[in-house]
Amino acid sequence: RLYRWYEANYWVPKGWRLPTLEDFEDLDAHIKRLEYDTGTALKSKNQWHGKADQGLDLFGFCAYPMERDEETGESQAWFWTSSKTGNTDCPYYCVCIRADRNDIHLQSKAGVDYYACVRYVRDAE
């Protein structure tokens, strides 16, 4: 499912939260320590269209593409974070996984009315 930022915050299960940029950076660093490309490790094994193509879904993240880039036609998936950008037009960062890249990248592309994917995290007790 795709959510606007406020919807993503409304549906947070008790004991969970939207990830921060730091959460995604930690995930990226952990996967790289295991000697994998982060984007490839998190992408689903099918439905991706582009140069780098399918993923390996090594950790059950199973990122499916949500749209195609208008310029390149590459599949991509955007994930909300709770980290603020300081930009009133695009107040929260998103993390993007693209078919044409094997990594993840952070952008402030989306406004709060943009639709993106959600992966909630739960802190260790």
Side-chain angles (χ1 to χ4, degrees):
R1 295 194 63 168
L2 302 176
Y3 300 90
R4 290 179 288 198
W5 193 86
Y6 294 110
E7 294 168 337
N9 276 285
Y10 179 80
W11 293 108
V12 176
K14 185 177 182 180
W16 294 72
R17 62 179 172 77
L18 275 178
T20 62
L21 281 181
E22 292 79 18
D23 291 324
F24 276 104
E25 290 167 348
D26 290 347
L27 177 63
D28 183 45
H30 176 73
I31 292 171
K32 286 179 178 172
R33 277 193 301 274
L34 298 173
E35 299 183 7
Y36 293 105
D37 294 321
T38 305
T40 304
L42 298 179
K43 283 188 256 182
S44 63
K45 294 180 181 181
N46 53 38
Q47 297 187 13
W48 288 90
H49 302 282
K51 296 173 190 168
D53 245 354
Q54 307 311 316
L56 299 173
D57 190 25
L58 296 176
F59 305 102
F61 193 88
C62 201
Y64 283 100
M66 57 175 271
E67 65 182 11
R68 288 193 184 199
D69 183 278
E70 292 177 10
E71 294 176 21
T72 66
E74 300 284 338
S75 298
Q76 55 189 2
W78 293 87
F79 294 88
W80 283 119
T81 76
S82 61
S83 297
K84 293 185 177 186
T85 65
N87 178 340
T88 56
D89 293 330
C90 303
Y92 296 94
Y93 281 103
C94 281
V95 170
C96 185
I97 299 175
R98 296 178 52 101
D100 62 343
R101 298 175 66 154
N102 293 324
D103 61 353
I104 62 174
H105 63 281
L106 315 171
Q107 288 192 345
S108 60
K109 170 187 175 186
V112 292
D113 287 328
Y114 178 80
Y115 286 89
C117 304
V118 174
R119 287 292 195 274
Y120 296 115
V121 295
R122 182 173 52 187
D123 291 323
E125 294 180 14

